[in-house]
Amino acid sequence: MHISGQTRVFMVIGDPVAQVRAPVLFNRIFAQHDIDAVLVPAHVPAGRAASFAREVLGSGSIAGLWATVPHKPALLPALFGIDRHGRRAGSVNAVRRAADGTLEGALFDGLGLVGALAHHGIALAGRRVLLLGAGGAGAAIAAALLDTPIAQLSIHDLGDRAERLVERLQVEVCGPRLQAASADPADHDLIIQATPLGMRPEDPLPLDVARIAPGTQVFDILMKSATTPLMRACAARGIEAHPGFEMLVQQVPAYLEFFGLPEVARAMRSDLSGVRQVIAA
């Protein structure tokens, strides 16, 4: 990799940030397509994301920010413009400087989920969806699902998180029925697991797998391993279930397009196999 005074620098910010895979993936893409750019990690302590974004994006060399936990909602005060999904979910995972110097943000997690479902041949038209988890990932997924032809979106979480998310999203609903619900999977034909349950060996399953009806499809966004406890429990009952890493794969073209690389984005959309190999490794 050759770094010069003209190299465009991107940063991925998080707290912590040592776990991020984006630099490995996107720097490979930049090199393969002869793009004079580099993506580097930056550890930004919680509470400093907005001020960090304002400061570094004031530089003509820093072209944009990727954001991971816990900075996705914390960046909003720094932004002048936010895309539809970011506004609905109350968070962003990409920030760029506009021509007038203001900062713009976008959220691609939900788009990644919808793209992953399509990749696995999971149709959304007329589906009754149960979304488990109303945190950052769940809100992003819900924001994107409202733009699809599902029939119903039921959201479950502990406390009043699901009710608060439904209340926030309700103002934009003109298609699917939207409601807070229990974790009972009966009467749903697509289940999206977006809670942290399954990250630790002692975690309980997020729902009663015995209550899942035959023919229901399950997508578990956990990316700790290709096979999650929920997926294993579903397999034991013959329920089709898929892992979450494809959700990251499907976001790659959106990032490239947002940061002014539409030709590379088109090339990626035509063949994402190399991206899958890096993310699944």
Side-chain angles (χ1 to χ4, degrees):
M1 182 181 295
H2 176 71
I3 305 295
S4 72
Q6 294 180 313
T7 300
R8 298 173 68 196
V9 179
F10 296 95
M11 294 181 175
V12 51
I13 64 173
D15 182 20
V17 78
Q19 78 285 358
V20 297
R21 301 287 303 280
V24 173
L25 173 60
F26 282 94
N27 286 327
R28 182 175 299 188
I29 292 171
F30 295 153
Q32 289 174 341
H33 293 269
D34 199 25
I35 304 297
D36 188 9
V38 61
L39 175 61
V40 297
H43 177 226
V44 178
R48 294 183 56 189
S51 59
F52 182 86
R54 293 188 190 100
E55 187 67 27
V56 301
L57 290 176
S59 165
S61 298
I62 309 299
L65 302 177
W66 276 246
T68 188
V69 176
H71 298 322
K72 293 180 182 183
L75 282 165
L76 265 61
L79 306 179
F80 181 78
I82 306 172
D83 77 338
R84 181 173 67 256
H85 291 171
R87 186 183 69 250
R88 287 175 179 172
S91 64
V92 297
N93 58 4
V95 180
R96 68 187 178 192
R97 183 180 57 255
D100 63 1
T102 60
L103 303 187
E104 301 173 330
L107 181 64
F108 304 130
D109 291 329
L111 287 176
L113 182 281
V114 172
L117 295 177
H119 171 75
H120 289 299
I122 300 175
L124 286 171
R127 288 298 189 99
R128 297 163 298 167
V129 181
L130 174 61
L131 173 61
L132 302 173
I141 290 167
L145 286 175
L146 293 185
D147 289 337
T148 70
I150 61 173
Q152 177 179 300
L153 176 59
S154 302
I155 304 174
H156 170 74
D157 209 327
L158 301 178
D160 64 348
R161 294 177 74 180
E163 287 81 1
R164 286 189 285 113
L165 178 57
V166 167
E167 183 178 355
R168 186 164 80 238
L169 296 175
Q170 196 75 54
V171 297
E172 297 202 34
V173 173
C174 58
R177 179 185 174 194
L178 180 63
Q179 61 184 12
S182 73
D184 185 2
D187 299 322
H188 297 88
D189 41 39
L190 174 60
I191 298 165
I192 300 171
Q193 142 56 11
T195 78
L197 292 176
M199 293 292 291
R200 301 174 302 177
E202 65 271 21
D203 284 344
L205 291 175
L207 78 172
D208 183 357
V209 174
R211 295 277 295 167
I212 300 177
T216 299
Q217 294 168 300
V218 176
F219 190 93
D220 189 344
I221 77 164
L222 288 187
M223 300 173 197
K224 185 176 180 181
S225 63
T227 303
T228 68
L230 175 59
M231 290 177 62
R232 291 193 291 271
C234 288
R237 285 205 56 227
I239 301 294
E240 178 185 340
H242 299 276
F245 73 85
E246 185 65 31
M247 184 174 163
L248 288 180
V249 173
Q250 295 292 327
Q251 292 181 60
V252 169
Y255 274 106
L256 294 168
E257 199 160 51
F258 180 76
F259 288 121
L261 299 167
E263 297 84 2
V264 184
R266 282 193 292 271
M268 290 290 100
R269 284 194 176 96
S270 67
D271 183 7
L272 284 166
S273 58
V275 175
R276 286 187 192 96
Q277 291 174 2
V278 174
I279 292 179

